[in-house]
Amino acid sequence: MSNMLKNVGLVAAFAVAVHLIMKTDASEQTTRPSAEHKPYTQFIDMALRGDFEEIELRGQDGREVRALDSNGTLIVSRIPVNENIMNRLYGERVDVVDLSARDKPQEAGFMSRLFLTLLPAALLIGFMMFMMRGGMKGPGGGGGGGGLLGGKSMVKKFNARDCDVRFEDVAGIDEAKAELMEMVDFLKSPGKYTRLGAKIPRGALLVGPPGTGKTLMAKAVAGEAGVPFLSQSGSEFVEMFVGRGAARVRELFEEAKKSAPCIIFIDEIDAVGRQRGGGVGGGNDEREQTLNQLLVEMDGFDGTEGIIILAATNRADILDAALKRPGRFDRQVHVGLPDLSGRVRILQTHLRNKPIAPDVDVKVIARGVPGFSGADLANLANEAALFAARRGDNAITQADFEGAADRIMMGAERKTMIMTEQEKRLTAYHEAGHALCALRAPGADPIHKATIIPRGGALGMVMQLPEGDRVSLTRQQAHARLAVCYGGRVAEEMVFGADKVTTGASGDIQSATAMARAMVEEWGLSDKAGAVLYASSRQEQAMGATGRSRSISEVTSLMLDQEIRELTDLGKVMAEQILTDYRGELENIAEALLKYETLSGSEIKIVAQGGTLTRDPSQPPPDETPKGPGTFGATPANDTGNDMRPPKPL
Ligand code: ADP
Ligand code: MG
Ligand code: ZN
């Protein structure tokens, strides 16, 4: 993909401008992931349509404008130098508030000055985007009719028709979608559930990296159910309503009770929901009060009202445990980065209304952008349209897509991971190593799925699912888990050589060590250590107990460490044995992972034996999740740390 050079030559000025815009965009997004940056032309258009109630002037020079649109999304733009926004909006039903004094001097720095010098180009591009979008969507929609009347509540209520997102607009995250379907049904006819005394979901936490479609999905639930969508971002509770966070929460729920059945959506919930009292120097009272109020409100209704609370975060681990208790956000729905088939379908969704040249092959495009999120793909579709517009063409060609992909990937540091071909190969072998050990180690839990799509810091993963509820582990099963843990690293070593191995296995090594430690210190699965519970004494020791209070001797401690080492070594040897004996199967699985990116458990078995899959790589793998009654297919939010639970993804 290096059509870029040619294109840059043709439109050098544009290239620079777009590049800078993207950079600014990215740095802004680090601080406020929910902000949507729009060209000024679009911003004004929205204002004139009545999409905003209030516009804030921000930035040191007062030329940054921010407003909440009718979906509660923060829209950000900049006023061009020769423009007077007050004149433009005089007589319109929108308040303009100057808050630029609030912004510290350093906030509007180098970037915005660069921005200003490049404004003419930026405007032109903005105008083109405006034309393209305007062309396909058309005006209408109406916006919130209330205008300034009736107070300045930022929590807005929308008619069902205003939330026009549907499930069909959300592509490539089928598992998450399936889990939320039930909620739609409940919102449509709550009576059906309450009559039978069924336990009704009260809330779900959408967990996943930025841009994967969490907000989109929440809107789709409301859109599908035809109920109002009340949304508020967690960071707004703490930033925009300083001193009023708790009151805002109360108002939000009051409004929800009036509008029920409805959806409350709290974006970036980690901004308020972080572990209480965890901060250095006593924590943040304001935030804690807001969080407490949220907990009170969530407990305050019994689930028959028809209010469902969805929240989004990319860090479920830092949330206060109280939020994840039963009756609150007791369901976590994982929204991951899309795999190849997901990317194909997301791209198709975003190309629905764009003119596409006959040479365009969506599968080829999707294959070239591993690690792209839904938002990246939406961006890709738009960039490609820009390329075409610049050429003066009226259809987007394959070359446009390639140029756009190059540009996005070369753009500033990106938050989402983009894997190089080499990383992808290494990950494929790593995961294939885990998978093969899970297939071949006697007593290993059946393999459920393997993927080389990055997720939560890991480059790929293998998931196993024990059959039925596991209440105990046999020694054999424990050894198998150790072998599976080491399968990844061992495969890397065998295929790429000892000095090419990566740090990617650190999580595996951690799991293996924890497993071996439990075997020795808690479960009595080591002959030398015997069936003695050492765990608590060891913990005491680690915490620095000395002298007589120490209940475990230095010698014993050393022996335990040796036993742990012995067990982990044994696991590694088992993995080496398996991968050597079945090297051909390792290759088969890795090749299939490179081709398909995600494989189901039964697919792995087929390809390991040298079979071929009939599935087209652009189709998703079959869902083989066992669905128990009423489990909703979700992971329990409160992780008890019980070691009998299914093995962690590796
Ligand atoms: P998140 O809330 O997870 O950060 P958003 O829902 O705000 O992500 O996604 C931003 C935009 O990216 C969406 O408005 C949509 O255009 C696009 N997008 C993201 N995920 C998907 C998806 N799964 N299917 C279709 N479009 C998507
Ligand atoms: Mg979002
Ligand atoms: Zn691993």
Side-chain angles (χ1 to χ4, degrees):
M1 265 185 255
S2 49
N3 287 12
M4 180 157 183
L5 285 177
K6 200 172 51 199
N7 286 314
V8 165
L10 286 174
V11 284
F14 285 123
V16 178
V18 170
H19 200 74
L20 283 168
I21 291 165
M22 282 174 34
K23 271 193 166 159
T24 315
D25 214 343
S27 62
E28 267 279 336
Q29 276 180 1
T30 337
T31 46
R32 177 185 273 291
S34 69
E36 225 177 287
H37 295 248
K38 289 235 150 92
Y40 183 69
T41 40
Q42 266 186 50
F43 186 90
I44 283 293
D45 189 49
M46 290 177 84
L48 293 174
R49 255 189 350 225
D51 284 359
F52 310 135
E53 275 180 29
E54 191 180 76
I55 295 173
E56 286 179 6
L57 302 181
R58 301 293 294 261
Q60 195 191 2
D61 55 4
R63 290 204 161 275
E64 186 185 319
V65 278
R66 298 185 186 179
L68 291 175
D69 75 359
S70 50
N71 293 328
T73 310
L74 184 67
I75 310 288
V76 179
S77 187
R78 277 199 69 84
I79 311 173
V81 259
N82 294 323
E83 168 74 13
N84 186 326
I85 190 171
M86 295 307 282
N87 286 350
R88 182 75 89 98
L89 293 177
Y90 185 78
E92 297 293 336
R93 290 177 317 180
V94 58
D95 269 1
V96 179
V97 193
D98 189 352
L99 294 177
S100 55
R102 263 201 210 170
D103 292 329
K104 293 177 212 104
Q106 76 257 28
E107 235 184 42
F110 179 63
M111 269 309 174
S112 41
R113 259 179 288 130
L114 265 184
F115 216 109
L116 284 174
T117 53
L118 288 163
L119 257 170
L123 264 179
L124 207 69
I125 288 167
F127 182 68
M128 289 194 299
M129 283 171 85
F130 171 55
M131 291 302 280
M132 277 184 292
R133 288 200 188 148
M136 63 195 208
K137 279 203 172 155
L148 287 178
L149 307 169
K152 284 264 178 307
S153 181
M154 289 282 188
V155 178
K156 298 180 190 173
K157 187 184 150 180
F158 308 107
N159 296 324
R161 66 187 143 79
D162 282 339
C163 205
D164 54 7
V165 180
R166 291 289 181 278
F167 274 146
E168 65 172 39
D169 300 316
V170 188
I173 41 178
D174 301 329
E175 285 167 39
K177 219 150 103 175
E179 288 187 25
L180 293 179
M181 291 284 193
E182 193 182 329
M183 296 197 167
V184 172
D185 195 37
F186 162 67
L187 285 166
K188 272 185 175 159
S189 41
K192 192 168 102 189
Y193 288 78
T194 47
R195 212 169 39 240
L196 295 169
K199 194 174 160 275
I200 286 142
R202 203 171 306 179
L205 199 57
L206 304 172
V207 185
T212 45
K214 299 181 293 296
T215 308
L216 192 69
M217 182 91 98
K219 284 183 187 165
V221 174
E224 286 286 336
V227 303
F229 181 74
L230 283 70
S231 111
Q232 182 82 74
S233 156
S235 62
E236 278 156 16
F237 282 127
V238 280
E239 286 166 20
M240 259 168 116
F241 311 120
V242 179
R244 295 202 58 238
R248 293 303 308 188
V249 171
R250 215 174 305 123
E251 283 166 33
L252 176 65
F253 278 80
E254 262 162 34
E255 176 84 30
K257 278 173 197 153
K258 276 185 245 156
S259 331
C262 69
I263 296 268
I264 294 181
F265 178 61
I266 303 175
D267 207 353
E268 295 178 64
I269 193 168
D270 37 293
V272 280
R274 238 169 298 146
Q275 208 88 41
R276 277 169 296 189
V280 186
N284 176 339
D285 277 352
E286 157 81 3
R287 191 173 56 73
E288 288 189 8
Q289 274 169 21
T290 310
L291 173 58
N292 286 334
Q293 188 64 37
L294 183 62
L295 296 174
V296 167
E297 294 291 348
M298 287 193 78
D299 294 341
F301 56 96
D302 61 7
T304 53
E305 286 93 338
I307 300 174
I308 284 184
I309 310 170
L310 298 177
T313 180
N314 49 6
R315 299 279 322 264
D317 52 318
I318 58 166
L319 290 185
D320 198 291
L323 271 173
K324 300 188 240 174
R325 291 229 180 91
R328 293 171 183 161
F329 295 109
D330 43 9
R331 267 163 200 181
Q332 282 188 20
V333 177
H334 195 98
V335 186
L337 287 172
D339 59 12
L340 177 59
S341 82
R343 294 198 301 275
V344 168
R345 285 174 296 144
I346 293 172
L347 265 177
Q348 277 162 348
T349 331
H350 288 279
L351 295 176
R352 267 191 313 217
N353 299 310
K354 290 191 167 72
I356 301 293
D359 74 323
V360 169
D361 187 337
V362 176
K363 281 178 214 166
V364 173
I365 302 166
R367 183 174 285 283
V369 291
F372 264 38
S373 69
D376 292 329
L377 293 165
N379 187 14
L380 176 64
N382 264 318
E383 281 281 332
L386 271 176
F387 267 93
R390 265 180 236 131
R391 286 188 299 110
D393 201 339
N394 46 18
I396 311 171
T397 63
Q398 186 78 359
D400 292 324
F401 281 104
E402 288 177 8
D406 280 356
R407 167 159 301 161
I408 292 172
M409 288 201 264
M410 285 167 64
E413 324 87 291
R414 297 167 23 79
K415 272 181 297 175
T416 36
M417 256 189 279
I418 310 259
M419 281 200 274
T420 63
E421 208 50 40
Q422 173 65 9
E423 276 172 328
K424 224 175 133 176
R425 266 176 64 75
L426 202 119
T427 309
Y429 276 94
H430 178 104
E431 302 308 334
H434 285 311
L436 186 57
C437 287
L439 280 185
R440 291 293 179 182
D445 290 305
I447 184 157
H448 173 56
K449 186 171 164 180
T451 176
I452 54 168
I453 292 301
R455 170 190 261 207
L459 288 173
M461 66 162 203
V462 163
M463 261 171 75
Q464 292 164 271
L465 278 187
E467 279 152 356
D469 278 347
R470 167 113 338 133
V471 286
S472 69
L473 277 181
T474 65
R475 184 185 295 229
Q476 191 194 44
Q477 286 164 337
H479 281 296
R481 282 196 182 180
L482 287 175
V484 174
C485 282
Y486 285 108
R489 164 58 73 83
V490 171
E492 285 183 41
E493 272 173 16
M494 280 174 51
V495 179
F496 300 92
D499 51 352
K500 287 279 178 356
V501 299
T502 62
T503 52
S506 67
D508 299 339
I509 292 169
Q510 207 179 335
S511 315
T513 313
M515 184 77 200
R517 170 155 291 145
M519 288 166 75
V520 172
E521 295 179 7
E522 287 174 52
W523 303 338
L525 289 179
S526 138
D527 293 330
K528 222 183 270 166
V532 177
L533 182 70
Y534 295 102
S536 56
S537 345
R538 285 271 270 187
Q539 234 157 33
E540 265 170 42
Q541 193 202 33
M543 283 165 66
T546 45
R548 259 191 289 150
S549 68
R550 206 163 76 185
S551 52
I552 188 170
S553 75
E554 206 98 324
V555 178
T556 312
S557 194
L558 204 65
M559 181 270 290
L560 294 178
D561 284 337
Q562 274 165 359
E563 276 301 285
I564 292 170
R565 177 69 201 261
E566 201 111 300
L567 282 176
T568 53
D569 283 351
L570 192 67
K572 191 155 184 247
V573 168
M574 262 175 87
E576 280 162 359
Q577 190 67 51
I578 292 170
L579 299 193
T580 314
D581 289 352
Y582 300 99
R583 176 70 186 252
E585 298 191 6
L586 177 73
E587 303 283 344
N588 291 344
I589 300 172
E591 285 309 319
L593 274 173
L594 282 168
K595 182 165 174 205
Y596 287 88
E597 296 187 354
T598 304
L599 295 173
S600 73
S602 50
E603 287 179 334
I604 291 169
K605 280 185 207 144
I606 295 170
V607 297
Q609 301 296 333
T612 43
L613 301 179
T614 49
R615 167 163 75 92
D616 185 315
S618 62
Q619 293 302 310
D623 181 12
E624 289 162 5
T625 315
K627 289 256 190 311
T631 58
F632 214 67
T635 8
N638 46 340
D639 194 334
T640 55
N642 179 342
D643 284 298
M644 302 306 165
R645 74 205 133 112
K648 275 205 212 130
L650 295 168

